[in-house]
Amino acid sequence: MTVNREIHLAARPQGWPTADTFRLVTTEVPTPGPGQLLVRNQFMSVDPYMRGRMNDAKSYIPPFALDAPLDGAAVGEVVAGEAAGFTPGDTVVHGLGWREYALVDARRAEKVDPSLAPASAYLGVLGMPGLTAYAGLLDVAALRPGERVFVSAAAGAVGSLVGQIAKLRGAAHVVGSAGSAAKVERLRALGFDAAFDYHDGPVHESLKAAAPDGIDVYFDNVGGDHLEAAISALRLHGRVAVCGMIAQYNDTEPPAGPRNLALVIGKRLTLRGFLVNDHSHLREQFVQEAAGWLRDDKLSYDETIVDGIEQAPEAFLGLLRGDNLGKMLVRL
Ligand code: NDP
């Protein structure tokens, strides 16, 4: 097998990406040099932050280059290469997704234990989304037992873990919002105390009905009307972990809300943005704890798997539309 297929950025999208944003390119499988590993990718991740990298804009992470492969988290098997600490057959997580074969600098590959969990789990529940949920809830929002929590995009990779970790850490009441009746049903099965479909009416009304005594912590994945509703529902000294604002990633105009920001003053609220990479010191602790919860059947996770590199653009668009339950992945 000498053929590798990869996805390039063909054009920078204005608003929603389309099929024309991407190009499938066939190349030769590269040969590893010293300190390099050739990895046959088994799963690649599509993540909301990738939409921001398609813009030519200054951000916390550089934009994707035009006419070059996209990148992002992937997990696969080492098939060739010589580097200390690695042997062919190892399962590694690295940052060169969006391609079938990756030539990875061994210093940027992390060996994972496939006997602890399936390889795909290292891109979701035991990977970056899992740590985002854990660090955002416990470190950034500093959840305390007995508190009331609201999380948006609650049926997604991060959100579904936020709600479950909140219950495991003693939250008194956990509310999730999501985009369909089926997702709401799934949240109830995962142990959320209440859940609503945000299409069913104004978010502030649905949240008030779901959390009549208010909330202490809001884990924001969505922004806009969700953040505005949460600010209204937050109690004195409430905290918001500002994780993402997916409702506006494809907007071409600045968003309108939240219109009630002045409530932050009287209620002494804290709104704190965070990036998961700033919390890597919690990684080891998180993996140990989450692996224990998985082993004891205290934590569940969903995956939505799309097959084939040629379907990766559609998987990414589906993620932005909400086609996924849990982590959206592409199997290669
Ligand atoms: P998800 O698995 O949650 O997938 C995204 C979900 O967003 C979709 O399934 C969809 O679900 C929902 N969504 C899309 N558009 C809207 C909208 N207009 N209003 C409400 N919901 C919408 O993705 P992740 O778990 O990977 O990421 C969740 C959030 O966390 C994102 O905002 C992401 O950018 C952020 N993030 C931030 C990190 C950080 O370091 N700060 C790290 C990782 C993620 P539905 O059907 O419910 O609409």
Side-chain angles (χ1 to χ4, degrees):
M1 172 59 123
T2 54
V3 170
N4 171 52
R5 293 183 303 162
E6 55 192 32
I7 303 288
H8 290 201
L9 183 66
R12 298 202 184 278
Q14 302 294 320
W16 279 81
T18 64
D20 295 338
T21 305
F22 307 91
R23 185 184 301 121
L24 179 65
V25 173
T26 301
T27 64
E28 275 191 19
V29 174
T31 306
Q36 290 182 321
L37 304 171
L38 180 65
V39 179
R40 190 178 60 78
N41 284 337
Q42 293 161 329
F43 289 92
M44 56 159 270
S45 179
V46 287
D47 295 276
Y49 78 88
M50 293 170 175
R51 175 62 191 86
R53 295 192 67 193
M54 292 175 183
N55 300 333
D56 190 12
K58 195 167 185 287
S59 179
Y60 61 92
I61 184 168
F64 290 128
L66 271 178
D67 300 317
L70 301 169
D71 58 67
V75 63
E77 182 191 349
V78 175
V79 290
E82 282 175 25
F86 295 92
T87 46
D90 283 347
T91 302
V92 293
V93 171
H94 59 89
L96 295 178
W98 294 92
R99 64 201 80 188
E100 291 176 316
Y101 284 86
L103 192 58
V104 181
D105 180 334
R107 290 168 301 184
R108 294 177 177 271
E110 192 202 339
K111 209 149 79 169
V112 294
D113 182 356
S115 71
L116 201 62
S120 60
Y122 290 97
L123 300 180
V125 62
L126 292 180
M128 184 276 277
L131 180 59
T132 304
Y134 187 87
L137 185 67
L138 304 180
D139 204 16
V140 179
L143 175 74
R144 293 185 289 263
E147 290 191 319
R148 297 166 171 79
V149 177
F150 170 46
V151 55
S152 50
V158 174
S160 59
L161 301 174
V162 169
Q164 293 181 81
I165 294 171
K167 291 301 286 184
L168 285 163
R169 285 300 189 96
H173 190 73
V174 175
V175 178
S177 67
S180 71
K183 289 187 180 186
V184 165
E185 201 179 310
R186 179 65 184 144
L187 294 181
R188 297 213 172 95
L190 289 176
F192 283 64
D193 299 288
F196 63 88
D197 179 346
Y198 61 84
H199 298 107
D200 285 349
V203 177
H204 70 95
E205 283 178 18
S206 302
L207 180 56
K208 208 166 174 187
D213 297 326
I215 56 173
D216 303 291
V217 165
Y218 172 47
F219 193 108
D220 191 18
N221 287 320
V222 167
D225 54 354
H226 279 76
L227 178 55
E228 187 170 295
I231 289 171
S232 290
L234 277 157
R235 292 142 57 104
L236 274 191
H237 302 291
R239 286 98 62 209
V240 182
V242 186
C243 176
M245 296 201 176
I246 196 165
Q248 66 192 54
Y249 292 173
N250 289 306
D251 283 358
T252 48
E253 297 295 325
R259 297 163 297 180
N260 55 353
L261 209 49
L263 288 178
V264 168
I265 307 159
K267 294 195 196 187
R268 285 79 135 192
L269 303 182
T270 303
L271 277 67
R272 194 175 148 205
F274 74 101
L275 289 174
V276 61
N277 292 346
D278 297 337
H279 298 264
S280 30
H281 60 283
L282 290 175
R283 198 110 170 273
E284 203 43 50
Q285 174 190 326
F286 152 70
V287 172
Q288 289 301 324
E289 197 163 4
W293 287 329
L294 288 173
R295 199 179 45 238
D296 299 341
D297 281 334
K298 290 181 174 163
L299 187 66
S300 303
Y301 66 97
D302 296 308
E303 294 175 335
T304 300
I305 295 176
V306 172
D307 278 297
I309 186 79
E310 67 283 1
Q311 295 300 326
E314 186 49 30
F316 178 67
L317 296 174
L319 171 80
L320 298 179
R321 284 193 303 261
D323 293 354
N324 58 309
L325 189 64
K327 180 74 192 112
M328 184 67 113
L329 293 167
V330 182
R331 182 164 37 208
L332 303 172

